[in-house]
Amino acid sequence: MSKYTAESHYDFMNDLVRRNPGQIEFHQAVYEVTKPIFDYIQDKPAYHEYRIMRRITEPDRVMSFRVCWENDAGEVCVNRGWRVQNNNAIGPYKGGLRFHPSVNESILKFLAFEQTFKNSLTGLPMGGGKGGSDFDPKGKSDHEVMRFCQAFMTELYRHIGDDIDVPAGDIGVGAREIGYMFGQWKRITRRHNGVFTGKGLEYGGSLLRPEATGYGATYFMQSMLAHRQDGIEKKICLVSGSGNVAQFAVEKIVQLGGKVVTLSDSDGFIYDPAGITLEKLEWVKDLKNERRGRIAEYVDHFSGSEYIPGLRPWRVPCHLAFPCATQNEILLEDAKMLLANGCIGVSEGANMPTVIEGIDAFLAAKILFGPGKAANAGGVAVSGLEMSQNSAKMSWKEEDLQRLLFDIMTGIHTSCVEYGRTEDPRFIDYVRGANVGGFVKVADAMLAYGVV
Ligand code: NDP
């Protein structure tokens, strides 16, 4: 048995920063997740003895590879691809692929690390991974995207498998990209199986997968409010982003009687004081998913709305906020503005959209704050259900999936409440609840395996 040495969180973080120089997003994610876990494990020597924190923050492996493809002008383009396999203690690696020029190893390590805890919280047998490329699908033709996806999969295929590592979509990777990548996987391996989730319904996808993350983030907010005998009805809501997660968050909020007044993209945001109705949302879905336009175009179609370039929506007074675009989109000054304007709840549809200082401000104000690993776990939960359907060679009905998604989200909420109770009976620290709740199962599985 190894010698027992209890490490402080301060020493642990210093060592992690030294071993991962310059990876600031990874440092940020590890700091946020491990701080409450260190409090939790301080009187639990086995976790220290087996160096669980050190092992859980060192990915099982990180693959990086060249992706070479030709654009429509016949020029050779070179991008970099990655797959981070963080931890498979409780199931095959599982997590999306992101195509965006900002993608780098630090961002993918943070996402794969967070994914490990999120997947554990769902209660389904899935480990944590993430991957992607610095390729930018914006402005590319369908044929260019297809050639890139095929080149990317020609390397990635050797690292994945339905019981090894199961990728899905993320920013810049939607139905079109998944179709191209799964097609190339099928061509190379001659297999048709559940190696990908988020697939089209025609070739093994699950009903409700596109809706799951946005719906789930809304259900999580509903559960947090219900815990305080409140609800979404009549609440003014801010949503950022206008992609997959944002669109279905708006849909569910509106169905539950809330009023959504903003949407955004990386160029700016729109403010519609009359509220984004389901009809207006259909127009946005067509704009973003079919015509691949910019959110600024909204104001040309819906009178009374305005476009604010270069800014995020958080200055608009609201009751509830749903950041659904990207990481670090709520800075400390945004958090302060939300609080000053009367915001009582934040449910993170995106991954790590709030900076650490912003989270601290929300927790100090004791508002309802649902961190991404709990609030946006609905997507990976339905991905897990897609894996089960593929294994069983069956497709489940939408109403069954709706019920399962709702049950999983309320189960995650219950788990957060169990580990997130504080001295103030009215206040649940969902950050602590989600981190500790996600950690326990993974850590106990790692203990069971011994030193591997
Ligand atoms: P999409 O690509 O469909 O949409 C992303 C949206 O965010 C777009 O409106 C995009 O605008 C905007 N955006 C991207 N980068 C930035 C930036 N740097 N600044 C401001 N806005 C930006 O992605 P998803 O909706 O799938 O994902 C959104 C978030 O949710 C991500 O954090 C993702 O990791 C997380 N998530 C997604 C899940 C899923 O099932 N899809 C599951 C769990 C989490 P633009 O068009 O200008 O780039």
Side-chain angles (χ1 to χ4, degrees):
M1 186 173 292
S2 58
K3 202 162 167 289
Y4 165 57
T5 43
E7 202 176 15
S8 71
H9 187 244
Y10 181 82
D11 289 342
F12 163 81
M13 276 310 302
N14 274 345
D15 194 44
L16 181 117
V17 170
R18 184 186 58 73
R19 285 186 290 113
N20 300 277
Q23 298 190 338
I24 49 174
E25 294 85 0
F26 183 56
H27 303 164
Q28 179 184 343
V30 171
Y31 179 87
E32 186 212 306
V33 171
T34 56
K35 199 163 185 324
I37 294 176
F38 265 81
D39 290 342
Y40 174 75
I41 64 172
Q42 62 176 330
D43 56 351
K44 299 176 179 64
Y47 296 126
H48 294 281
E49 200 172 313
Y50 282 88
R51 306 294 295 268
I52 294 295
M53 299 314 291
R54 174 79 183 248
R55 287 160 60 195
I56 215 168
T57 50
E58 189 67 42
D60 288 355
R61 63 197 65 79
V62 178
M63 278 79 68
S64 151
F65 46 91
R66 181 181 63 237
V67 187
C68 250
W69 56 285
E70 272 183 47
N71 67 15
D72 288 344
E75 294 159 345
V76 175
C77 304
V78 183
N79 286 97
R80 190 173 294 172
W82 288 269
R83 186 72 185 164
V84 179
Q85 295 179 336
N86 192 66
N87 187 297
N88 67 352
I90 62 168
Y93 305 106
K94 178 91 199 83
L97 296 171
R98 177 177 291 191
F99 293 168
H100 194 273
S102 64
V103 164
N104 58 36
E105 196 173 308
S106 166
I107 289 184
L108 295 177
K109 277 172 67 176
F110 118 60
L111 289 165
F113 177 69
E114 285 265 312
Q115 193 83 44
T116 304
F117 295 81
K118 182 191 306 188
N119 292 1
S120 163
L121 271 176
T122 66
L124 301 174
M126 299 181 288
K130 200 85 186 187
S133 171
D134 56 3
F135 171 76
D136 187 359
K138 270 204 242 56
K140 305 287 191 304
S141 71
D142 280 355
H143 278 91
E144 287 176 324
V145 171
M146 180 181 75
R147 284 195 292 276
F148 173 81
C149 288
Q150 291 175 342
F152 182 82
M153 183 49 74
T154 302
E155 174 61 31
L156 184 70
Y157 90 94
R158 65 189 86 246
H159 305 299
I160 60 177
D162 59 350
D163 56 0
I164 300 172
D165 183 350
V166 183
D170 191 67
I171 291 179
V173 178
R176 174 182 63 167
E177 290 76 14
I178 289 177
Y180 292 148
M181 284 190 274
F182 186 70
Q184 182 72 349
W185 153 270
K186 197 170 66 58
R187 172 156 81 175
I188 297 173
T189 64
R190 297 179 294 152
R191 293 193 197 132
H192 194 300
N193 61 10
V195 70
F196 249 93
T197 60
K199 298 186 292 299
L201 287 178
E202 308 77 17
Y203 57 94
S206 173
L207 288 166
L208 208 71
R209 177 61 189 87
E211 294 88 343
T213 307
Y215 279 17
T218 311
Y219 289 146
F220 196 80
M221 177 66 92
Q222 194 183 22
S223 294
M224 292 196 295
L225 287 163
H227 201 70
R228 284 190 178 175
Q229 287 80 47
D230 201 350
I232 285 182
E233 211 181 341
K234 295 198 167 61
K235 297 280 191 304
I236 306 285
C237 303
L238 307 183
V239 174
S240 67
S242 47
N244 171 269
V245 180
Q247 291 170 17
F248 289 105
V250 174
E251 189 162 291
K252 188 49 73 181
I253 294 166
V254 174
Q255 285 171 0
L256 292 174
K259 181 175 176 184
V260 180
V261 294
T262 64
L263 279 171
S264 71
D265 60 24
S266 39
D267 298 327
F269 78 94
I270 59 104
Y271 172 47
D272 185 347
I276 300 168
T277 58
L278 293 179
E279 291 71 31
K280 292 175 182 175
L281 178 64
E282 282 313 305
W283 184 90
V284 172
K285 285 183 185 172
D286 182 61
L287 171 81
K288 299 304 287 188
N289 309 344
E290 305 302 328
R291 290 181 283 131
R292 302 195 184 269
R294 308 301 297 159
I295 201 65
E297 294 170 47
Y298 185 97
V299 297
D300 302 332
H301 290 264
F302 301 110
S303 60
S305 60
E306 55 180 312
Y307 176 62
I308 298 93
L311 292 176
R312 293 182 287 263
W314 315 124
R315 60 197 53 241
V316 176
C318 69
H319 302 112
L320 306 173
F322 296 79
C324 296
T326 192
Q327 65 272 2
N328 295 335
E329 54 167 322
I330 298 186
L331 306 179
L332 177 59
E333 55 268 31
D334 299 316
K336 284 183 180 162
M337 209 148 36
L338 281 165
L339 291 170
N341 283 333
C343 178
I344 59 161
V346 177
S347 179
E348 294 189 327
N351 284 313
M352 209 169 74
T354 313
V355 299
I356 289 172
E357 299 78 10
I359 296 173
D360 289 344
F362 290 145
L363 295 182
K366 295 190 175 178
I367 67 161
L368 302 170
F369 175 72
K373 75 174 64 59
N376 70 35
V380 76
V382 174
S383 277
L385 302 177
E386 183 174 333
M387 288 163 69
S388 304
Q389 293 171 79
N390 291 164
S391 301
K393 312 273 184 235
M394 284 180 70
S395 298
W396 298 340
K397 290 203 238 39
E398 181 163 346
E399 61 258 37
D400 295 335
L401 289 157
Q402 290 272 16
R403 184 181 41 77
L404 285 167
L405 172 63
F406 185 80
D407 288 351
I408 289 172
M409 293 313 298
T410 46
I412 293 173
H413 180 265
T414 305
S415 174
C416 291
V417 170
E418 181 185 341
Y419 290 104
R421 282 203 181 85
T422 65
E423 284 163 8
D424 177 350
R426 270 184 58 78
F427 177 59
I428 303 297
D429 181 344
Y430 288 95
V431 175
R432 181 184 155 84
N435 288 327
V436 176
F439 167 78
V440 171
K441 191 166 135 196
V442 178
D444 289 351
M446 290 171 74
L447 286 179
Y449 300 139
V451 182
V452 291

